[in-house]
Amino acid sequence: MKVLVATEKPFAEIAARKIKELIDAAGYEAVFLENYKSASEFASAVSDADALIVRSDIVSAELLDAAKRLKIVVRAGAGYDNLDLEACTRHNVVAMNTPGQNSNAVAELAFEMMLYMARSGFSGKSGTELRGKTIGIHGFGNVGRYVAEISGGFGMTVSAFDPYIAEDVITGYGIRACKSAKELYSECQYISLNIPFNKETGSSVNYSLLSGMPVPAVLVNTARKEIIDEESLLKMFAERPDFRYLSDVAPDCKALIEEKYSGRFLFTAKKMGAQTEEANSNAGIAAINQIVDYFKTGNQKFRLNK
Ligand code: 3PG
């Protein structure tokens, strides 16, 4: 049984070592493909793999065509917009993710970016504090809940909105539950985006929501760049001098923003949210454990496709 760990953005060394130990302990063969440069390199590595672990690596119908022996793919992480689930089903491949395993790292990154911006990029210029500011959490899943917890520690006033989570779950965290995204944005100076990217959420963070934000408006995106409507983003930068955008990773219109709005944005060069030793270890270990469990007992608890 061959397990391919294909990570264009490699796991921390300590995490890769633990994953290998668990693959060895199960009596399987471990193969690591890191920093690969093309889809064809990935396709040739997966051709004789029985199981596959990926991060944001693209698992497309074409890749699955090449993966003749593949039975299971596990996305070591939460968001699975990189997996073609219908193609997985057509190819009889079980697709899973590892929800919750890297959420704290992503929530911490939101605050790291917020603090950097609040303190004027550590430039020596006077900045602002987080205490007493309002923060709205858009999406109250695993990451949103950690953001709520940390926001409380900073003395922020916290609200959340999630159409799929019951209000009493949100209020159970001692924070306010909003009835709509519009209400959330109209009340909060900071908005933390913690929603997945899918057909429903693509370009859904738009001018109608953003323009309602009170001053100063700081949008923090540790989710996916695709959930933002970029025309609206540019309009906000142009119309609202108080508007700041902090994003893991940069939008497609990055060059325009860099040219005109210096000091009002922060973009990571590569997706950084889950780039900690702890998150890599948690997600990677969960992924290999799920694979071993699937082969040994048939457990499909984290299955995403039908
Ligand atoms: C996730 O969805 O789990 C995070 O965005 C992490 O993505 P990454 O594994 O590519 O860093």
Side-chain angles (χ1 to χ4, degrees):
M1 199 81 78
K2 180 166 159 178
V3 182
L4 175 68
V5 182
T7 51
E8 183 274 326
K9 181 178 62 189
F11 286 123
E13 255 177 59
I14 188 173
R17 204 164 49 239
K18 286 180 191 164
I19 296 165
K20 176 156 179 4
E21 278 167 16
L22 288 167
I23 297 175
D24 292 347
Y28 304 156
E29 181 194 352
V31 178
F32 284 77
L33 174 72
E34 296 180 329
N35 293 310
Y36 60 89
K37 299 284 178 267
S38 66
S40 62
E41 214 183 316
F42 186 6
S44 84
V46 83
S47 62
D48 59 349
D50 300 278
L52 172 63
I53 295 175
V54 292
R55 298 185 62 179
S56 290
D57 307 80
I58 307 295
V59 178
S60 62
E62 293 71 38
L63 183 93
L64 291 161
D65 284 340
K68 300 282 181 236
R69 283 171 42 184
L70 195 67
K71 292 152 198 80
I72 179 167
V73 54
V74 181
R75 194 283 189 237
Y80 50 88
D81 44 301
N82 54 320
L83 308 182
D84 184 335
L85 292 185
E86 281 168 19
C88 286
T89 302
R90 279 200 310 278
H91 285 79
N92 291 318
V93 171
V94 170
M96 296 185 185
N97 66 347
T98 65
Q101 299 293 343
N102 56 21
S103 310
N104 181 65
V106 178
E108 284 191 14
L109 182 71
F111 280 86
E112 285 147 7
M113 295 200 295
M114 283 160 64
L115 290 166
Y116 176 88
M117 185 54 65
R119 290 307 182 99
S120 311
F122 306 130
S123 63
K125 255 174 59 186
S126 186
T128 55
E129 299 180 20
L130 297 184
R131 180 171 292 278
K133 304 294 186 299
T134 46
I135 182 166
I137 301 170
H138 189 174
F140 206 64
N142 293 306
V143 179
R145 293 169 203 209
Y146 278 115
V147 172
E149 198 182 291
I150 303 170
S151 303
F154 274 104
M156 303 181 88
T157 302
V158 194
S159 309
F161 169 69
D162 191 321
Y164 299 105
I165 303 285
E167 261 188 47
D168 60 341
V169 173
I170 295 176
T171 53
Y173 279 73
I175 65 175
R176 219 175 83 72
C178 288
K179 300 240 175 298
S180 66
K182 197 122 189 151
E183 183 188 346
L184 186 80
Y185 284 64
S186 71
E187 290 179 0
C188 297
Q189 296 160 308
Y190 283 84
I191 290 288
S192 175
L193 293 169
N194 305 115
I195 54 177
F197 167 48
N198 54 39
K199 282 193 195 110
E200 193 187 317
T201 62
S203 301
S204 67
V205 178
N206 55 25
Y207 188 73
S208 137
L209 290 176
L210 295 172
S211 57
M213 288 176 76
V215 175
V218 184
L219 183 64
V220 187
N221 185 2
T222 54
R224 292 289 183 272
K225 72 179 168 72
E226 291 86 352
I227 63 177
I228 307 284
D229 176 58
E230 295 201 6
E231 255 180 52
S232 302
L233 190 65
L234 291 170
K235 202 161 157 134
M236 282 297 289
F237 269 110
E239 288 180 4
R240 293 269 304 261
D242 63 296
F243 179 70
R244 306 277 183 276
Y245 182 50
L246 317 176
S247 183
D248 182 29
V249 298
D252 295 336
C253 61
K254 170 183 173 207
L256 277 174
I257 295 173
E258 283 178 344
E259 190 191 316
K260 289 192 176 163
Y261 306 113
S262 161
R264 293 174 52 193
F265 61 87
L266 174 59
F267 303 141
T268 55
K270 220 167 204 195
K271 207 159 182 316
M272 285 291 300
Q275 277 300 62
T276 66
E277 290 184 350
E278 294 89 338
N280 289 172
S281 297
N282 292 343
I285 289 171
I288 185 57
N289 283 340
Q290 286 172 215
I291 288 170
V292 174
D293 201 25
Y294 173 68
F295 283 136
K296 299 225 155 115
T297 73
N299 187 346
Q300 301 190 28
K301 181 168 172 206
F302 294 103
R303 185 167 183 161
L304 298 164
N305 59 335
K306 300 288 164 237

